[in-house]
Amino acid sequence: MVRGWEADPSASLEKRLGKSAKELGTSEGRDECPDIWQLSNGDIAVIGRDLTEHYSDRLPDGVTLGPGERLVVIPGLMLSAAKADITDA
């Protein structure tokens, strides 16, 4: 099966979007997950808590998780802090 988009594992982490978890106070003083990064090819990497099992049986109609996909959750504050770094389409 051919997918319309495929993640490129050779792309490197290039630029943090927003602020680190430590800067936002969501890591108890440690620089740990969660995080949002722009990759060298323009794709976005999100590091968060894997809650796939908690949401898989209650996804809205039309929402699916394909093979190799996981549902991760990050603090809303983190995405809000990244807004200025995310370009418009």
Side-chain angles (χ1 to χ4, degrees):
M1 174 170 81
V2 177
R3 297 181 190 189
W5 170 82
E6 188 61 56
D8 179 1
S10 68
S12 59
L13 297 170
E14 189 169 272
K15 174 186 171 189
R16 172 179 278 126
L17 301 181
K19 299 179 179 180
S20 70
K22 185 176 181 180
E23 290 174 292
L24 293 172
T26 60
S27 67
E28 297 180 357
R30 298 181 304 274
D31 197 13
E32 59 180 23
C33 152
D35 222 336
I36 307 170
W37 283 80
Q38 182 170 17
L39 302 178
S40 58
N41 66 356
D43 287 348
I44 305 298
V46 177
I47 301 169
R49 300 284 191 259
D50 182 355
L51 294 184
T52 304
E53 290 183 27
H54 298 277
Y55 283 94
S56 62
D57 62 347
R58 54 189 177 115
L59 295 172
D61 289 340
V63 177
T64 59
L65 291 169
E69 295 179 333
R70 308 299 289 170
L71 187 149
V72 299
V73 175
I74 62 172
L77 173 66
M78 180 158 277
L79 186 59
S80 294
K83 184 176 180 181
D85 294 332
I86 300 171
T87 59
D88 291 333

